[in-house]
Structure formats: structure tokens, C-alpha cells
Amino acid sequence: MDAGEPHAAAEAAEPESGQQAEEPAEVEGPRRRARRERAERRAAQARAEAIEQARREAKRRLRAGSAEPAKGVPRGTVRGLKMALLTFLALVVVIGLGLILYFTPVMSVREIEVTGIAAVSREEVLDVAKVQLGTPLLQVDTGGVAERVATIRRVASARVQRQYPSALGISVIERVAVVYKDFPDGPHLFDRDGVDFATAAPSTMLPIFDVDNPGPTDPASRAALQVITALAPEVAGQVSRVAAPSVASITLTLADGRVVVWGNTDRTAEKAQKLAALLTQPGHTYDVSSPDLPTVR
């Protein structure tokens, strides 16, 4: 064999051009496989738990997000809004009902009741009141009706009230005569305020009003009427004339001719009390102008 043969054999043993020698495969034993499988199972379980936790957190955030607007409104505010709504609805109902009652004959005047009249006739009151039957009660100006009725000479005051559902009440207080004065056209009756409210025959128990300018604005008239209305009924019934030439010289004449010197209106109530006791004594002139020293002559 040539010396070059061993070299050729070595070259023949080398791999062909472009080929690499394969590395030997690693062999996995049973224990290593078991550890790997356990690790994979733990990873899968951890991933499943993480996914479940993420789902729970997402649901919690969703519920919290939907509840946040309700939590943001205090209960007091909600209650206040409900009350405001109820108040508004009630107001709408009241206004609607008021409009119905005001503009429709649902509650209209079907009857007018007049009370307190004696010398004044019902027809006279109704004529002055000027209230048409069928007028809705809410359209009746009760104050205006009362003012018109009070213009009647014999009426001191009047009160008008709606009586639901369909009546109007007119209550009258008539003037009461306390004195009278003769005039060319006949006797005039005056009430306690000095108002000349009627021309008629006076009662036999009514005293004569002896003043120059009788009337509610005359000082002498007011003074004389203050005295006559302060007397006890049993004394006032005996007076036939009250004279007041001035506010400081008031005198009373009794039906039996006795005279009472009153003076001015100072301490009128005290003078009236003293006079009631003084008249039990015999005499002609009873002077109570000084109530501390009343005298009988």
C-alpha cells in the first residue's frame, strides 16, 4: 500500500460538503416529565384563577359605576325634589279648580240671605247690593257689596260672606236712635255717633237733642252723646232732654222736671255712678260737675 493511502482513507471518513453532524437528542426521563406536567398544570390553574379574578373585578367596577350616580344624590335632595313636585302638582290642581269655580256657574249665587234687618227692608238691601243671581261666588266683591249696603241711612255696618256652595249672606247692623231733634220737615233721629239716619216719629222714651249743630263732627254733639250713653239704663230712661250749649256746660232734664248739672265730659263714668245714687235723694237740681263734691238742691 502506498504511503498516500492512509490520508485518502481519512478524507473519505469526513462528511460530505454542506452536511453537518447531527447532535444526539436529549432523553427526558419519567421524573422530569412529571415535574414539567405539574408545572404546566400549576401555570394553567394560576392563569384560570387570574382570569376569574379579572372577571370579578370587571363586574364589581361595572356595578360600582352604575351605582355611583345614585350615591351621588343625597336622600334629602331626592326627598326635596319629590316634595317640590307634589307641591307643584297640588298648585296646578288648586289653580285649575279656582279657574273652574271663578269662570263657571258650578258655585254661583242661587240665594241671598239678609239678616239683622228690622226698619230696613230686604228689597232695599238687595237693590243696593246689586248682586245678580247666577253670578259665580268667587266673582262677588264682598267688600264692595258691604260698602254699598252701608250707604243706606239706617244701616250702621254690613258684612257680606260667601256661603258655599250657592248662597251669599248679608248681615246688617241697623242704627239705633238715642236722641232726636225737631226740624221743619219733622223729627230727625240720631244714633250714638251723632249720625242723622232717619226722619220719623221718635219713641216716647227718646230724649230731645238740644244742640245747635247736631252731627258726628260737632264737639258739643259728641260730648252730649258721650254722657247719654254712659248713663245707667234706669237713669237714661228718665232723661227727656240733653242740652249742650258747649262741651263744658252739659245739662240733663228728667221727665219729672228735675235737672242734672253735668259740666264737661271729664270723669264721665264716675259722674254717672254718682248720679245714680244721688237721684235717690229728694231735690230739684243734682250737680255732679264736681264728682268729688256732688250736691242736691
Side-chain angles (χ1 to χ4, degrees), residues 69-86:
K71 291 181 179 179
V73 181
R75 288 184 177 180
T77 302
V78 174
R79 191 180 298 110
L81 291 174
K82 289 181 179 179
M83 289 300 297
L85 179 59
L86 291 175

Side-chain angles (χ1 to χ4, degrees), residues 5-283:
E5 288 179 356
H7 179 73
E11 290 179 352
E14 293 179 359
E16 295 181 0
S17 176
Q19 292 181 356
Q20 294 182 355
E22 294 183 358
E23 296 181 357
E26 183 178 358
V27 178
E28 183 180 30
R31 292 183 178 178
R32 190 169 186 177
R33 186 184 310 112
R35 287 195 299 269
R36 178 177 58 77
E37 290 176 353
R38 286 196 298 271
E40 289 177 353
R41 284 195 298 271
R42 285 194 296 267
Q45 184 177 1
R47 175 180 172 79
E49 292 177 353
I51 292 173
E52 182 64 23
Q53 182 65 26
R55 289 176 178 172
R56 292 177 179 174
E57 185 66 21
K59 289 180 179 180
R60 186 190 66 79
R61 286 197 299 268
L62 183 60
R63 288 195 300 268
S66 62
E68 281 178 359
K71 291 181 179 179
V73 181
R75 288 184 177 180
T77 302
V78 174
R79 191 180 298 110
L81 291 174
K82 289 181 179 179
M83 289 300 297
L85 179 59
L86 291 175
T87 302
F88 174 76
L89 293 176
L91 185 62
V92 170
V93 171
V94 171
I95 292 176
L97 182 60
L99 292 175
I100 292 174
L101 296 179
Y102 189 86
F103 290 105
T104 66
V106 174
M107 289 188 179
S108 59
V109 180
R110 295 183 177 88
E111 180 185 357
I112 301 177
E113 181 181 353
V114 181
T115 59
I117 55 175
V120 180
S121 67
R122 171 183 170 86
E123 290 70 24
E124 188 176 4
V125 172
L126 295 180
D127 184 61
V128 173
K130 297 179 180 178
V131 177
Q132 296 294 329
L133 294 179
T135 303
L137 279 173
L138 291 179
Q139 292 188 22
V140 176
D141 180 6
T142 56
V145 174
E147 289 179 359
R148 290 195 293 272
V149 173
T151 61
I152 300 173
R153 283 183 68 189
R154 286 184 174 269
V155 173
S157 64
R159 184 181 181 186
V160 179
Q161 290 180 303
R162 301 181 184 92
Q163 298 174 353
Y164 296 101
S166 59
L168 189 71
I170 302 177
S171 177
V172 173
I173 298 178
E174 295 185 350
R175 297 187 185 277
V176 178
V178 294
V179 291
Y180 78 96
K181 184 177 178 65
D182 286 320
F183 284 89
D185 60 344
H188 287 215
L189 307 182
F190 294 82
D191 69 358
R192 61 183 300 138
D193 297 319
V195 175
D196 178 358
F197 67 90
T199 303
S203 161
T204 56
M205 302 298 294
L206 212 59
I208 297 173
F209 196 27
D210 189 3
V211 293
D212 293 334
N213 299 297
T217 61
D218 177 52
S221 296
R222 292 200 304 269
L225 292 169
Q226 182 181 345
V227 171
I228 202 70
T229 54
L231 298 175
E234 61 272 14
V235 176
Q238 301 180 51
V239 178
S240 63
R241 178 186 297 268
V242 54
S246 68
V247 294
S249 57
I250 301 169
T251 60
L252 307 175
T253 303
L254 305 186
D256 58 7
R258 290 181 293 176
V259 176
V260 177
V261 179
W262 194 276
N264 57 31
T265 55
D266 293 343
R267 302 167 66 179
T268 292
E270 187 177 354
K271 290 179 180 180
Q273 186 178 8
K274 294 289 180 66
L275 178 61
L278 208 62
L279 288 176
T280 61
Q281 302 179 23

